[in-house]
Amino acid sequence: MPKLLQLLLLSLLVITSPKTELPDSKRASDVRTVVWPRLEKELKNKGLKAGSAVYLRIFKYQDALEVWLKTGTKYTLFKTYNICYYSGGIGTKTRSGDGKSPEGFYAIEPKQLNPVSNYHLAINIGYPNKLEQLKGYTGNAVMIHGHCASIGCYAMTDPRIEEIYTLIYKAFEGGQQKINLDIYPFRMNKNYMDIFAQQPYMPFWKTLKPGYDLFEKNHIPTDYHIKGKDYAF
């Protein structure tokens, strides 16, 4: 086959290839019908564009989940949701059954949405990530989900997960391929680093702080790489 014809056929395949299909259900669709018009108004009132790329941060000690939306090249805080419940206190998860909730840097892809969860709607955070796998950490199916009960997950209540899930769904629908989720034990400013300085987890927490500091400075999500058995940026 002539090279030019091969290129034309390849271009046609790229143009006609379907978008990645998002997991969906009647439950999630019904939620969007009610929730999305309200969110669109809130976004507009804050000067944010509906369907923009999303970035998430969790601060365990503050019981806070932040949703940031992309505006230009940077991200702007849209809303902070109270976490209803997580188990195990501060300090990261390392093994299945330890009752802890993870801390670290994660990525959410469309396939990680669960629109038929037993906990209303759920988003798999991607634990264990690449570094945690390298360290031999165990466990799976760690979620951000509805209801207000959990062991190892982040339970948001149904109304809150409906908004968070819908914002993520719409971001994927708008073309975002991956959503960064950064989970910290607390806001990693000097005040809290000093308060928790004697905790046995501090050596690990110090490896999270550069990622926190970079976002605080630039308001752009940062991907990590692995150096030895630590996060590096």
Side-chain angles (χ1 to χ4, degrees), residues 187-205:
R187 297 190 184 277
M188 305 197 82
N189 54 39
K190 185 179 184 305
N191 180 48
Y192 283 107
M193 292 295 284
D194 289 346
I195 289 171
F196 293 106
Q198 302 307 313
Q199 286 282 330
Y201 308 108
M202 185 52 71
F204 168 67
W205 289 340

Side-chain angles (χ1 to χ4, degrees), residues 19 33 39 47 57-58 94 119 129 178 192 194 228:
K19 284 185 177 180
T33 299
L39 285 172
R57 287 200 303 184
I58 284 176
T94 60
Y119 293 84
N129 64 22
K178 180 194 75 170
Y192 283 107
D194 289 346

Side-chain angles (χ1 to χ4, degrees), residues 29-144:
S29 178
D30 288 347
V31 164
R32 288 197 302 278
T33 299
V34 174
V35 169
W36 186 235
R38 183 176 74 241
L39 285 172
E40 283 185 301
K41 288 180 182 177
E42 290 184 45
L43 290 163
K44 185 177 180 180
N45 289 339
K46 292 190 176 184
L48 299 169
K49 184 180 176 182
S52 295
V54 166
Y55 162 66
L56 305 175
R57 287 200 303 184
I58 284 176
F59 297 101
K60 293 168 77 174
Y61 185 73
Q62 282 81 20
D63 293 321
L65 185 152
E66 296 178 346
V67 178
W68 295 70
L69 268 68
K70 192 172 186 182
T71 51
T73 59
K74 298 181 182 293
Y75 283 68
T76 299
L77 180 63
F78 169 53
K79 192 178 283 192
T80 301
Y81 295 90
N82 182 253
I83 298 169
C84 190
Y85 184 78
Y86 67 88
S87 61
I90 55 176
T92 196
K93 183 177 187 64
T94 60
R95 59 181 175 82
S96 179
D98 65 5
K100 302 286 285 184
S101 303
E103 298 166 4
F105 302 99
Y106 304 92
I108 299 168
E109 298 178 0
K111 64 184 178 182
Q112 290 163 238
L113 298 180
N114 182 356
V116 290
S117 170
N118 290 333
Y119 293 84
H120 192 42
L121 299 169
I123 305 147
N124 190 314
I125 73 166
Y127 170 92
N129 64 22
K130 290 178 181 178
L131 178 61
E132 291 162 339
Q133 292 174 41
L134 181 65
K135 289 183 173 184
Y137 291 2
T138 57
N140 56 48
V142 176
M143 306 281 177
I144 299 168

Side-chain angles (χ1 to χ4, degrees), residues 54-57 68 70 73-75 104-108 129 176 178-184 207-226 231-233:
V54 166
Y55 162 66
L56 305 175
R57 287 200 303 184
W68 295 70
K70 192 172 186 182
T73 59
K74 298 181 182 293
Y75 283 68
F105 302 99
Y106 304 92
I108 299 168
N129 64 22
Q176 189 172 4
K178 180 194 75 170
I179 292 172
N180 285 50
L181 164 65
D182 299 346
I183 304 178
Y184 298 103
T207 72
L208 304 182
K209 188 168 174 18
Y212 172 85
D213 289 341
L214 278 169
F215 185 79
E216 286 292 292
K217 179 181 178 181
N218 301 319
H219 284 188
I220 299 171
T222 305
D223 291 321
Y224 71 89
H225 61 272
I226 297 171
Y231 293 110
F233 302 89

